[in-house]
Amino acid sequence: MPSFSPSKFTSVFLVSVILSFSLTTVAENRTTNIGVIIDERTRAGKEQKTAIEIAVQKLNSGSKDHKLAIYFTNSSGDPLEAASSANELIEKQKVRVIIGTNSWEETTVVAKVGERARVPVISSTTATLQPLSHLQWPFLVQMTDLDISNEINCIVSLIKSYNWKRIIAIYEDNVYGGEYEGFSILSEALQKIDSIIEHRLVVPHFTSPFDPKETIRDDLATVLTTKQSRVFIVLKSSLSTATRVFEEANKLGLTGRDSVWILGNGFSSILDSIDPLVFRPVEGALGIKTYYSDKNPRFLEFRSTFKSIFKSNYPDEDKSEACIYAIRAYDSVETVWRAVDRLGNLNDTDSGFQEKLLDTILSNNFSGLTNTIAFKDGKLSEPQVLQLVNIVGKSYKELAFWSPGSGFSNTSLKQLSIIWPGDLINRIPKGWTMPNNVKKMKIGVPDSTSFQRFVKVEWIESTNETKYSGFCIAVFRAVVATLEEQYGYTLPYEFINHTGSYDDLIDKVYYKTYDAVVGDVTILANRSKYVEFTQPFTESGLSMVVPVRTDPQRAWKFMRPFTIEMWLASGGILFYTMFVVWFMEHQVNREFRGRWMDQLGTALWFTFSSLFFSHRENIRSNHSKVVVMIWLFVVFILTSSYTASLTTMLTVRMLEPTVQDIELVRRDNAPVGCDPDSFVGKYLTDVLNLKNIKNITSQDEYPENFKNGNIVAAFLELPYQKYFLKEYCNKYMAIGPSYKFGGLGFVFPKDSPITDDVSGAILSLLEEGRIIDMENQWLDTSQNCSSSDSGVESERLSLDNFWGIFVISGATSTLSLLLFLYRLLHNKIEQRIISYHGSRWNNNNESRFRRAIRLVMIMLSLNPSRVQPRENLESSQEWNHQNPPQWELVSPTEVPEHLEIGRPTQLEIPMRKMEHNMTM
C-alpha cells in the first residue's frame, strides 16, 4: 500500500483549485457577439437601440453562463451601407447574429451577406413573402408574420367598404430608384373591387441631396388641378417625408372635407411615439397599425424602463413611448439569448455552430413582450393583427381590428363613429371632387332616335351649331343644376352626336372614347358588365302595340252585358220560379186554372211581366207571396246591373285589338316592327322567338306600315308606347304582357365617381316631382284622349257576380214549395179520416200536437179499404167526372172564394152524408 504524504495532498488541492477557477473564468467570459444595423437618425432607430440596450442589460444580469455583446452600426437608410456594415460586423467583430435593418431593401442585401457568412439575420421589416421565401434567404428570420400583401388587403377592404373608386397612392422612392413592390400589389388588388389608382405620387427619399418640398408641392398641385380622386394612401414613407407631404397637402386644401387619408402600417405604428404636431394637418385620417396588447405585466415593466432611459438618452424627443419597433427589437435579442442558452457550452468557433444556432433560434417558443415567439417557415407562426385607428386631436381612437383570415372585426365599417378630415361627422366623404382645371366631359348623344320627343339632335344653320333637346336632355340639364346646388361643384361637359346603335355608344364609353352617354338608353344586365348606369329616371318595359277596330257586333249589343253562363242561369231561375208560383197558385187561384195552354200562358205572362214590375195577377197563397217577393228583389238587381252595363257599352266607344296576343303573331310568323338601333330586335329574336322583324326608323313610319299591312304589330319600349298611344288617340292599343327592364338611365364608365352623385340628383328630382313635370312638358300631347279599356270581356257581368242571389232565390222557392206540399198533404189525409170517423175526430178542444199524434196512430192502424164506405164511392165516382171537389184543392192557409158565411160548404156536405149513413 503506497504511503500518503502531506506534500502530495497539498499539490493535488492546489491543482484542483486552479482548474476550477480556470473553468469558472472561461464560463463567465463566454460571450456571444451580436451586430445591430439601424438608422440612428430615425425615431425607429432610436427606439430599437434603447430597447436592445435594455434587453442586453437585463439578460446579462440574470445569466452567469454566458453574456451578450452588442455592436451598433449606422446604415443611414442606405442598403449599400447596410451591406458594408454587415461585412464589417462579421469580419472584424465576429458577430454570430445580425439584428435590425429598417427597410426591405436593406434586409435583402444584409440577408445575402449573412447567407454567405452563415450568420442568421433577424429583421422585423415587412415584405411580400412567398411560401418558399425561406429557401431564397435561408438565414433570414422574420420577427413578424405580417407582410405587405396583408397590409394592402386590409386597406383594400377599407376602400371596398366605402365604395371609393379612384385612389392616389403615395410612397417614398428607393434610394437607387426602382419600382416599389407594394404599388403593384395595391393596383392589382384594387382592380378586383373595380377601383383604380388614378395617380401615384412618388416623393424623393429623405436622404435626397436636394430639398423635396418643391417636388412634393408640384405633385400635389397637379393632383389638385387635374385629378378627381381625394383618397390618399400613404403606403411607405419615413417620418420626415410624410411630415412634408402632410404640410403641403394642408396648404393646398387637400386635407379638407370629402378628402380621405389612409396611413400605412409603416407610419401608423409610430403614432404612439411621434409628436402630435406631425399628424395635426391630417386630423381625421385613418391609420393601419400593428396591434399589440399593452396589458402584459412584462410589457408594462419594459415600458416603464424604456421611458426613463429613452428620455435620458434623447431629451430632444417630445414623447418617450415605445412603439412596435422597440418591442420587436427587444424580442429579437431575447430570441438570440434563449437560443445561445439552449446550446449550452457549445463553442461558437466549433464547426456547424452557425447552423445549430439558426435551428435553435427557429425552434424557440416563449412568451415575448406582447405575444408568443414561435417560428414557422422563417417567420412568426402566430398571425399578427392590424388595427384601424382614427386620428383625433393629439391622439387616436381605436375603431376595428383586421386579421388575414377573417377580415375586419366590424362587418359594417359604415356604422363606425369616425371623425373625417374637415370635421366631417354626419356623412361619409365622397373621396373625390371636380379638379380646378378639369377638361370638359365628352358626352355621347344618339342623333337618330325613333321618337324625337326623347332625344332630338338638329343642326341650326343660322347659328352654325348643333342643338340638343328632348326629355332626356332636359333631365340631364336639371341633374347638372342639382349637382351645383346640392353638391357644390360644376360639371363641365360637351355633347357629341353619335351615329350608330346604342350598343356602339356603350362600347365608346367602355373604351374611354366618351366620358358618358345621355339619351334614352335602357339599363340592361349585359350592358352593366361594361359600364355603370345611374338611377333610372323613368320606367322601362316592352309591350306589343296593335291597331284597333270598333266593336262589329252592334246588332247584338244588347246581349253583351251578360255572359252566356249568366244568361243561362237567369233563364233557369226564371222558369223555376214560374213553375213554383204556378203550382202553388193553381190550387187556390182561379186565374191560374183552366186549360193547360191557358195556365202556361198565364204563368209565363206573370213571370215575364214581373221583370218590369207590371204583373196584374193576384197572388193568393202566402207561400207564393214569399217566393214572388224574393224574385222581385232578384229582378231589381239584375235589371239595374244590366241597364248600367248596357248604357256604358252604348255610350262609350269600345275598341278591340286586331291581334289578340303574341302567340298568334308567333304562330302565323306575322311581320312586326321595332327600332333597329335599340336592343329590341335582338330581344324579339332571342327571347320571344319572333323571326319576321321589320326595322322602323321613325315614329311616323309606324301608321303607314300598319296601313299597308307591312306589319301587324309593333314592339315599343314603355316610355315610347305611352307617348305613341297619346299621339295617335284611340287608334292603337297595347296588348299582352309587358316585359320589364331596368328603366332609362345615363351611362358612365365603371370607375367614374360621378355616377353616385348623378344618381342622387336624379332621386332628388323624382322626389320633388320635377321629372314628372318634364314628362308632361315633353311627352304629353295636346289631344284629349279618353282611352277605352281593351279588355271588353272584363266589363261583362258573369255568374260569379250574382250566384249568391240566385242561390237565395232558388232556396226560398224550394223551401216554400216543400212547405206547401206538406200542408196540402196533411189536409188531404185529415179530410179522409174525418170522412170515416165523423164528428169524433173533429174535437175543437184538442191541441194540434195531440191531433197530429192521433192522426199518425190512425194512419198506422187504418185499413185503406175502410177509409171510405162503398156508398160513398159512388158519389166519389160521380165527382171524378167533373172538376175535383173544391175542398180537395184548397190551400191549407186560404179560404175558397165560393165559401160564404151561413151557407153549408162542400166540406160540410160530405160529412153530413157520412154521418147519415152511419146512423142508418
Side-chain angles (χ1 to χ4, degrees):
M1 182 174 180
S3 61
F4 181 79
S5 62
S7 59
K8 290 184 178 180
F9 177 78
T10 303
S11 299
V12 171
F13 177 75
L14 292 175
V15 170
S16 300
V17 171
I18 292 171
L19 288 175
S20 62
F21 178 77
S22 299
L23 292 174
T24 303
T25 303
V26 171
E28 289 179 353
N29 293 332
R30 188 165 62 89
T31 304
T32 302
N33 296 333
I34 299 176
V36 179
I37 302 176
I38 58 175
D39 185 358
E40 295 183 357
R41 296 177 304 174
T42 64
R43 171 73 187 210
K46 295 175 182 178
E47 290 189 13
Q48 287 174 327
K49 184 176 182 180
T50 303
I52 290 173
E53 291 175 347
I54 294 173
V56 170
Q57 181 181 2
K58 181 177 181 180
L59 294 173
N60 283 344
S61 62
S63 174
K64 296 181 180 180
D65 297 333
H66 63 274
K67 302 294 181 180
L68 298 177
I70 302 298
Y71 297 91
F72 291 97
T73 60
N74 183 17
S75 67
S76 299
D78 190 338
L80 292 183
E81 289 190 18
S84 177
S85 299
N87 279 319
E88 184 178 351
L89 289 171
I90 294 172
E91 294 175 359
K92 295 183 178 181
Q93 305 300 336
K94 306 300 181 182
V95 298
R96 300 308 178 188
V97 179
I98 295 178
I99 298 175
T101 67
N102 293 330
S103 67
W104 181 244
E105 292 79 13
E106 295 179 42
T107 300
T108 55
V109 296
V110 173
K112 204 67 177 178
V113 173
E115 181 184 356
R116 289 197 301 264
R118 321 299 289 177
V119 173
V121 177
I122 301 178
S123 174
S124 59
T125 58
T126 60
T128 304
L129 298 178
Q130 303 299 325
L132 300 180
S133 296
H134 66 285
L135 300 179
Q136 184 177 1
W137 297 288
F139 277 79
L140 177 62
V141 179
Q142 285 290 106
M143 189 57 66
T144 178
D145 179 52
L146 192 67
D147 57 31
I148 296 177
S149 60
N150 289 334
E151 178 184 348
I152 289 177
N153 288 334
C154 176
I155 295 174
V156 171
S157 298
L158 181 64
I159 293 173
K160 181 180 179 181
S161 299
Y162 292 103
N163 198 30
W164 293 314
K165 294 299 183 182
R166 298 192 177 190
I167 310 300
I168 294 177
I170 302 175
Y171 59 91
E172 193 173 36
D173 194 9
N174 297 331
V175 179
Y176 300 103
E179 181 65 49
Y180 172 52
E181 184 181 13
F183 175 78
S184 58
I185 299 174
L186 176 63
S187 178
E188 183 179 353
L190 288 175
Q191 290 178 3
K192 296 179 181 179
I193 62 171
D194 296 329
S195 297
I196 62 170
I197 297 178
E198 184 181 22
H199 182 71
R200 62 175 173 177
L201 198 156
V202 184
V203 296
H205 195 267
F206 71 95
T207 60
S208 177
F210 57 90
D211 188 3
K213 279 189 176 182
E214 185 176 351
T215 303
I216 295 173
R217 186 185 307 112
D218 293 341
D219 290 341
L220 290 175
T222 301
V223 172
L224 178 67
T225 56
T226 63
K227 305 301 178 183
Q228 290 183 348
S229 176
R230 292 297 180 266
V231 179
F232 300 91
I233 300 177
V234 182
L235 288 174
K236 168 197 170 187
S237 176
S238 61
L239 178 59
S240 59
T241 302
T243 303
R244 294 189 182 110
V245 172
F246 298 157
E247 291 174 352
E248 296 301 325
N250 188 48
K251 291 178 182 178
L252 294 174
L254 294 175
T255 59
R257 297 170 70 89
D258 286 325
S259 295
V260 179
W261 285 80
I262 301 175
L263 310 179
N265 184 44
F267 181 83
S268 300
S269 294
I270 60 175
L271 290 176
D272 294 311
S273 55
I274 62 177
D275 184 3
L277 294 176
V278 173
F279 49 81
R280 180 173 294 177
V282 286
E283 184 175 357
L286 298 177
I288 307 295
K289 66 186 297 287
T290 303
Y291 170 75
Y292 55 87
S293 174
D294 56 359
K295 306 300 181 183
N296 191 328
R298 289 193 60 201
F299 174 77
L300 295 176
E301 180 185 355
F302 164 76
R303 184 169 64 177
S304 176
T305 305
F306 179 89
K307 284 183 177 181
S308 60
I309 296 178
F310 188 86
K311 191 172 183 180
S312 175
N313 294 340
Y314 305 100
D316 295 336
E317 294 289 338
D318 295 322
K319 298 183 70 175
S320 57
E321 286 286 344
C323 69
I324 189 64
Y325 298 108
I327 296 172
R328 288 172 177 169
Y330 186 98
D331 288 340
S332 298
V333 174
E334 186 174 358
T335 299
V336 176
W337 182 84
R338 288 178 178 271
V340 173
D341 185 62
R342 289 171 59 191
L343 290 176
N345 295 326
L346 185 64
N347 197 330
D348 57 5
T349 60
D350 294 344
S351 176
F353 175 80
Q354 297 299 117
E355 288 77 4
K356 292 180 180 179
L357 177 61
L358 176 64
D359 294 339
T360 308
I361 290 174
L362 294 176
S363 63
N364 266 312
N365 191 342
F366 66 94
S367 296
L369 288 182
T370 60
N371 58 354
T372 301
I373 305 299
F375 298 93
K376 180 180 180 181
D377 296 333
K379 59 182 180 179
L380 289 181
S381 59
E382 182 176 342
Q384 295 192 15
V385 178
L386 291 175
Q387 187 177 23
L388 179 65
V389 298
N390 183 204
I391 297 177
V392 180
K394 296 182 179 181
S395 184
Y396 62 86
K397 66 176 182 178
E398 301 174 353
L399 298 177
F401 298 96
W402 184 92
S403 60
S406 57
F408 278 106
S409 57
N410 296 72
T411 56
S412 179
L413 296 181
K414 292 185 178 181
Q415 298 179 357
L416 296 176
S417 177
I418 299 177
I419 298 178
W420 300 97
D423 293 330
L424 184 62
I425 301 175
N426 297 329
R427 65 176 177 87
I428 299 171
K430 296 187 303 181
W432 74 276
T433 187
M434 295 304 298
N436 296 344
N437 298 332
V438 65
K439 296 180 180 180
K440 290 184 178 181
M441 295 180 60
K442 296 180 179 179
I443 299 179
V445 178
D447 62 354
S448 57
T449 58
S450 298
F451 292 83
Q452 295 188 352
R453 288 293 187 100
F454 288 84
V455 178
K456 184 178 182 181
V457 180
E458 55 183 340
W459 174 256
I460 308 299
E461 295 183 359
S462 59
T463 59
N464 196 24
E465 62 180 2
T466 304
K467 180 181 179 181
Y468 299 89
S469 60
F471 169 66
C472 298
I473 303 297
V475 171
F476 180 74
R477 286 171 175 163
V479 165
V480 173
T482 304
L483 290 177
E484 188 170 358
E485 294 173 3
Q486 298 184 3
Y487 296 86
Y489 65 88
T490 302
L491 187 67
Y493 65 91
E494 60 177 346
F495 288 137
I496 301 176
N497 53 310
H498 172 82
T499 302
S501 66
Y502 285 78
D503 289 337
D504 291 339
L505 269 174
I506 300 298
D507 293 339
K508 294 278 188 176
V509 175
Y510 178 74
Y511 291 111
K512 309 297 183 181
T513 304
Y514 295 148
D515 297 316
V517 170
V518 170
D520 49 346
V521 183
T522 303
I523 302 174
L524 300 175
N526 61 334
R527 292 176 177 176
S528 298
K529 297 177 182 178
Y530 307 100
V531 295
E532 190 167 356
F533 286 92
T534 63
Q535 176 77 19
F537 54 86
T538 185
E539 61 180 336
S540 177
L542 186 66
S543 62
M544 186 170 67
V545 175
V546 299
V548 297
R549 60 186 175 209
T550 307
D551 186 4
Q553 301 177 353
R554 289 185 176 275
W556 297 96
K557 180 71 73 172
F558 69 93
M559 297 292 293
R560 302 289 289 175
F562 286 166
T563 61
I564 296 177
E565 294 81 5
M566 185 64 183
W567 281 116
L568 294 176
S570 300
I573 198 68
L574 183 145
F575 285 105
Y576 180 69
T577 304
M578 177 192 71
F579 168 74
V580 172
V581 172
W582 168 80
F583 183 83
M584 292 188 294
E585 288 300 311
H586 174 70
Q587 306 296 325
V588 297
N589 197 336
R590 291 179 179 178
E591 296 182 14
F592 287 86
R593 294 183 191 158
R595 295 182 305 168
W596 282 105
M597 293 299 296
D598 295 338
Q599 296 184 41
L600 180 60
T602 302
L604 287 174
W605 173 252
F606 172 80
T607 306
F608 278 101
S609 60
S610 65
L611 294 175
F612 309 99
F613 305 98
S614 60
H615 50 283
R616 299 181 179 277
E617 291 77 10
N618 294 323
I619 301 300
R620 301 285 184 178
S621 172
N622 289 335
H623 298 284
S624 300
K625 292 178 180 178
V626 173
V627 173
V628 171
M629 179 182 66
I630 300 300
W631 168 247
L632 293 178
F633 177 71
V634 174
V635 167
F636 174 76
I637 295 176
L638 293 180
T639 54
S640 300
S641 303
Y642 175 85
T643 302
S645 180
L646 182 60
T647 302
T648 302
M649 291 184 178
L650 292 176
T651 55
V652 178
R653 183 188 178 193
M654 303 304 296
L655 304 177
E656 287 190 350
T658 56
V659 179
Q660 296 296 330
D661 54 41
I662 193 174
E663 293 298 332
L664 296 176
V665 177
R666 187 184 294 114
R667 184 189 62 191
D668 299 338
N669 195 26
V672 298
C674 69
D675 185 356
D677 295 330
S678 68
F679 72 98
V680 178
K682 184 175 177 59
Y683 185 85
L684 296 180
T685 303
D686 298 343
V687 180
L688 300 183
N689 298 322
L690 299 179
K691 307 300 181 183
N692 196 355
I693 301 174
K694 307 292 184 181
N695 292 329
I696 310 297
T697 58
S698 174
Q699 71 177 55
D700 299 329
E701 296 180 9
Y702 283 101
E704 182 179 353
N705 281 271
F706 276 123
K707 184 178 180 181
N708 297 335
N710 294 334
I711 59 175
V712 299
F715 283 86
L716 302 177
E717 294 183 65
L718 191 58
Y720 309 145
Q721 173 226 298
K722 290 182 177 179
Y723 171 73
F724 185 80
L725 295 181
K726 290 182 179 180
E727 181 73 15
Y728 302 97
C729 185
N730 291 336
K731 295 181 180 179
Y732 303 92
M733 67 170 48
I735 65 171
S738 178
Y739 306 95
K740 296 295 183 180
F741 298 102
L744 301 184
F746 302 133
V747 183
F748 289 91
K750 272 290 186 181
D751 57 352
S752 175
I754 305 176
T755 310
D756 292 338
D757 285 355
V758 173
S759 295
I762 291 175
L763 289 175
S764 297
L765 294 175
L766 287 171
E767 293 172 359
E768 295 171 4
R770 295 170 60 184
I771 289 185
I772 299 297
D773 296 337
M774 284 183 277
E775 283 187 3
N776 296 333
Q777 177 185 353
W778 286 97
L779 305 181
D780 196 11
T781 62
S782 58
Q783 302 185 57
N784 185 14
C785 293
S786 58
S787 58
S788 58
D789 189 1
S790 60
V792 179
E793 289 296 328
S794 64
E795 292 190 358
R796 303 183 66 182
L797 302 176
S798 64
L799 184 60
D800 295 336
N801 306 112
F802 298 97
W803 67 267
I805 61 172
F806 286 167
V807 170
I808 294 174
S809 177
T812 303
S813 300
T814 302
L815 183 61
S816 299
L817 179 62
L818 293 176
L819 290 175
F820 180 83
L821 290 175
Y822 167 75
R823 299 292 296 273
L824 184 63
L825 180 62
H826 179 274
N827 286 348
K828 286 180 177 293
I829 295 174
E830 187 178 35
Q831 291 170 4
R832 293 293 181 90
I833 293 175
I834 291 174
S835 65
Y836 180 79
H837 288 277
S839 59
R840 291 177 297 172
W841 170 261
N842 191 13
N843 186 0
N844 295 330
N845 295 327
E846 191 174 20
S847 64
R848 287 182 175 269
F849 178 74
R850 294 182 60 87
R851 184 177 296 181
I853 294 176
R854 189 151 60 91
L855 175 62
V856 173
M857 295 178 62
I858 293 174
M859 290 293 298
L860 293 176
S861 61
L862 188 63
N863 188 350
S865 61
R866 296 175 55 197
V867 172
Q868 197 173 37
R870 298 185 66 86
E871 55 269 30
N872 292 336
L873 292 175
E874 296 178 358
S875 60
S876 298
Q877 293 175 358
E878 293 178 359
W879 295 342
N880 289 336
H881 293 291
Q882 303 172 359
N883 289 333
Q886 187 68 19
W887 59 271
E888 292 183 346
L889 302 177
V890 174
S891 172
T893 60
E894 300 293 335
V895 179
E897 294 179 354
H898 63 279
L899 296 181
E900 298 179 4
I901 300 176
R903 294 180 57 188
T905 64
Q906 293 182 3
L907 181 62
E908 295 173 341
I909 295 173
M911 292 177 62
R912 290 176 179 176
K913 289 183 178 180
M914 186 183 299
E915 292 176 357
H916 176 73
N917 293 332
M918 292 179 64
T919 55
M920 292 181 59

